[in-house]
Amino acid sequence: MSQSPANQRVIIDTDPGLDDAVAILFALACGQFDIVGLTSVAGNIGIEASTRNSLRLLAAMGRSDIPVITGAAKPLRRAGAELVSIHGEDGLGGLALPQPDRAAGSGAVAWMAEQLNAAPAKSLDILALGPLTNLALLVQDHPGAATRIGRVIAMGGAVDEPGNIGARSEYNLATDPEAARIVVTAGLDLTLVPLDVTRRVRVGPAQLAALRGTLAGNLCAEIIALYFGNGRESRPLHDPCVMLLALAPELFGVDQMALQVDAGDGPEAGALERAEGAPPTKVAMRVDAPGAIALLAQGLRG
Ligand code: RIB
Ligand code: CA
């Protein structure tokens, strides 16, 4: 399936969210990730729904063995902005899923630090699908544990592509620019997956049939159909690109950039800016979109 080692140990930090849900279902179905836990963060939807949806997705897949730990209820400094118009009042477009079959844990950031301190250094990756609030708090409050992180692969930002919040700002980074600035300048092994590639990995009605055939695939096809809302013929699969890059980096073209994040109070807060002297950040700028969609379909088949 890919050139990366199987059974990558990962923490998934997420604000599910319809595209987060596809990413999580793919990670569960493809059999290539050892998912240590899901940490919820406020973003697309508030922290209660983000946590509940994480539990519901795991219950639907019979994976109540995977812990869900509640994370940040709001950005570091700003008010959040939920995307109900895209993800629906419940954050999953009303998708029929089991109700949570257990309670979530609390204290995601301390839990992340515990996992990192207990694991061999650099053996545990973080796949970040929402605002970077939890990750920034980990860097700030648990710097020793943060140095033990393997890869951080985060969906966020826009480089040459227009933003989806401001002209140049993307939702995850714009929701918590202070957190994004901390993470981008922390010297982590960070790969950003920006709109420059995620907008090219699109699924429309014609591709849905190829996803169906398994529980995960059927759920993803249903989710993507819900995601089409507002009559759009296709939707970009932003967050699944994080898992696809973790699994098959050969499908992506990654450049090194010295970046900073605009953390001002203007309309472009959260935008990525070139900044001489900033630590190098890997940024996925090119993608084999047909190959990525084929891998998505293959992984959903298990
Ligand atoms: O800009 C896309 C990102 O914002 C995705 O993570 C999506 O889930 C939303 O959170
Ligand atoms: Ca997300």
Side-chain angles (χ1 to χ4, degrees):
M1 173 180 281
S2 76
Q3 295 176 9
S4 285
N7 281 337
Q8 299 177 31
R9 293 194 77 232
V10 297
I11 292 172
I12 299 174
D13 192 64
T14 181
D15 62 333
L18 288 166
D19 59 320
D20 301 65
V22 174
I24 292 165
L25 290 166
F26 170 80
L28 290 165
C30 72
Q32 300 288 312
F33 294 102
D34 172 4
I35 303 172
V36 173
L38 269 58
T39 51
S40 60
V41 65
N44 286 320
I45 198 76
I47 192 62
E48 292 77 17
S50 177
T51 306
R52 182 168 64 248
N53 290 341
S54 299
L55 288 166
R56 296 175 71 202
L57 287 162
L58 292 170
M61 292 293 288
R63 292 304 308 275
S64 298
D65 57 301
I66 296 175
V68 173
I69 302 87
T70 305
K74 59 182 288 299
L76 294 184
R77 188 168 75 88
R78 303 172 192 235
E82 297 174 14
L83 292 177
V84 171
S85 60
I86 294 177
H87 300 277
E89 291 294 330
D90 68 351
L92 289 179
L95 180 69
L97 284 177
Q99 287 310 315
D101 51 5
R102 60 203 159 113
S106 61
V109 175
W111 179 85
M112 285 168 139
E114 284 161 26
Q115 300 306 312
L116 287 160
N117 288 330
K122 309 295 185 184
S123 67
L124 183 52
D125 295 340
I126 297 180
L127 306 182
L129 311 182
L132 295 172
T133 315
N134 290 337
L135 199 47
L137 289 167
L138 177 68
V139 167
Q140 255 183 190
D141 300 345
H142 303 274
T147 62
R148 300 176 63 83
I149 303 172
R151 299 177 297 176
V152 174
I153 306 175
M155 190 280 140
V159 178
D160 299 329
E161 183 78 10
N164 58 7
I165 293 295
R168 293 185 298 110
S169 59
E170 173 278 331
Y171 177 81
N172 284 337
L173 302 195
T175 296
D176 197 342
E178 284 73 20
R181 170 170 280 197
I182 288 167
V183 171
V184 166
T185 55
L188 301 169
D189 176 359
L190 172 64
T191 301
L192 287 177
V193 185
L195 295 176
D196 301 72
V197 294
T198 65
R199 279 197 174 127
R200 278 147 193 77
V201 182
R202 309 183 72 87
V203 170
Q207 287 100 348
L208 289 185
L211 302 184
R212 290 193 177 96
T214 61
L215 172 60
N218 294 342
L219 282 172
C220 283
E222 212 177 326
I223 287 166
I224 294 168
L226 287 166
Y227 196 19
F228 286 156
N230 313 321
R232 292 170 189 251
E233 273 312 296
S234 75
R235 273 286 193 179
L237 294 185
H238 301 299
D239 292 339
C241 286
V242 169
M243 279 66 176
L244 294 168
L245 189 149
L247 210 49
E250 67 276 11
L251 293 175
F252 294 80
V254 176
D255 296 343
Q256 294 255 22
M257 298 180 189
L259 294 173
Q260 184 53 278
V261 177
D262 175 343
D265 292 324
E268 292 307 322
L272 289 172
E273 299 164 343
R274 309 274 181 154
E276 287 311 310
T281 297
K282 288 174 274 192
V283 185
M285 291 297 287
R286 296 167 298 284
V287 60
D288 167 2
I293 291 168
L295 178 58
L296 178 75
Q298 183 187 358
L300 289 171
R301 288 194 293 271

